[in-house]
Amino acid sequence: SASVPEALRDFTNQVSIALHRVGLAGAGVNTKVFHKLGKEWTAQAATLCDKIVKYAHRKGMAAFKPTNDDHIRELIFKKLKLPVLEHTRKDHAAKVDKANLVALLKDHKAPEIVQTLLDYNSIEKLASTWYGSKNEKPSKTKKKSVGELITVIPGNKNIGLLHMWIMALRARTGRATSGGSEEGAPEARNAQNWPKKARTAICSRWPNGDIAIADLT
């Protein structure tokens, strides 16, 4: 019988090739559901953005973008006088990431606009990274959104295919190098990191086919 190292090697290779084939085949995407969700995310992001910008203007800020960390720092720490909890390592700027905004809400009674910022960040990522914006100018450095990477199946406009490039032997979950970073690898988005809201668009590639949720243990 095979030794433990040999058995582990064989098992790892089998899993690797299976994941590779899954990646090449792609996931099925219900395009009707995907576009419905995408339009909802885009509208919600626009509504929250407008609310935050108007609030910043009332606080005396002439220009404000809720995706600009410097603008957020000025609003939170200069206008609202909230305490700085942590600094970034690189330039020692006040941190305005999710963890620090949540801490300001929980421990320092931050006003409701901080929760609105958190809500906007979540929905804006879905709207831009996953769905994509038709008004956004193409860029060589920016990765394509999921919407741009879906290929519609000929003869079935309601089902699309989304490639998933999984480098199973490079990291424990394949996350570190997935996404088409290897030479010759197709462009992809790592579906392992999909938010729950986005996963509802994934479906079987076959008519009336079932799809398994196999990671609930």
Side-chain angles (χ1 to χ4, degrees):
S1 61
S3 65
V4 173
E6 290 176 341
L8 180 60
R9 179 201 62 198
D10 293 343
F11 174 76
T12 302
N13 288 339
Q14 290 168 2
V15 170
S16 175
I17 195 62
L19 289 173
H20 181 65
R21 291 179 67 182
V22 168
L24 290 176
V29 180
N30 185 318
T31 53
K32 279 188 174 181
V33 173
F34 184 76
H35 287 300
K36 180 177 181 293
L37 289 171
K39 290 174 182 178
E40 290 175 358
W41 298 334
T42 303
Q44 290 170 15
T47 299
L48 291 173
C49 179
D50 184 64
K51 181 178 179 179
I52 297 167
V53 170
K54 287 180 178 177
Y55 182 92
H57 288 170
R58 290 197 298 271
K59 292 295 180 179
M61 295 184 66
F64 186 87
K65 286 185 65 175
T67 54
N68 186 309
D69 284 353
D70 287 334
H71 289 180
I72 296 173
R73 290 184 184 103
E74 182 178 351
L75 176 63
I76 291 178
F77 304 120
K78 292 184 179 180
K79 301 298 183 181
L80 300 180
K81 308 296 184 183
L82 291 170
V84 176
L85 304 180
E86 288 186 285
H87 293 86
T88 59
R89 290 183 180 181
K90 186 176 180 180
D91 52 11
H92 204 63
K95 277 190 176 182
V96 287
D97 58 2
K98 181 178 179 179
N100 278 268
L101 294 183
V102 169
L104 287 172
L105 278 168
K106 182 179 178 182
D107 301 325
H108 300 278
K109 298 181 180 180
E112 183 184 349
I113 197 66
V114 175
Q115 181 61 58
T116 307
L117 270 169
L118 285 166
D119 295 339
Y120 172 78
N121 289 337
S122 297
I123 204 69
E124 193 278 334
K125 184 175 181 179
L126 286 170
S128 60
T129 302
W130 301 105
Y131 189 61
S133 173
K134 293 181 179 179
N135 299 323
E136 192 172 11
K137 295 181 180 179
S139 170
K140 292 182 179 179
T141 57
K142 190 179 186 302
K143 291 177 65 175
K144 290 183 178 180
S145 67
V146 167
E148 294 174 292
L149 293 172
I150 294 174
T151 302
V152 177
I153 298 176
N156 191 347
K157 64 180 181 179
N158 295 327
I159 301 294
L161 286 180
L162 179 64
H163 180 85
M164 292 182 286
W165 193 253
I166 305 169
M167 302 298 292
L169 300 182
R170 298 298 181 88
R172 190 165 70 91
T173 63
R175 294 184 183 188
T177 52
S178 64
S181 59
E182 296 284 320
E183 184 177 355
E187 290 183 287
R189 279 283 183 180
N190 189 345
Q192 290 172 315
N193 297 330
W194 276 39
K196 290 182 179 179
K197 290 182 179 179
R199 294 177 197 172
T200 57
I202 299 298
C203 63
S204 171
R205 291 177 292 145
W206 312 106
N208 302 316
D210 294 328
I211 185 168
I213 303 177
D215 61 349
L216 301 180
T217 57

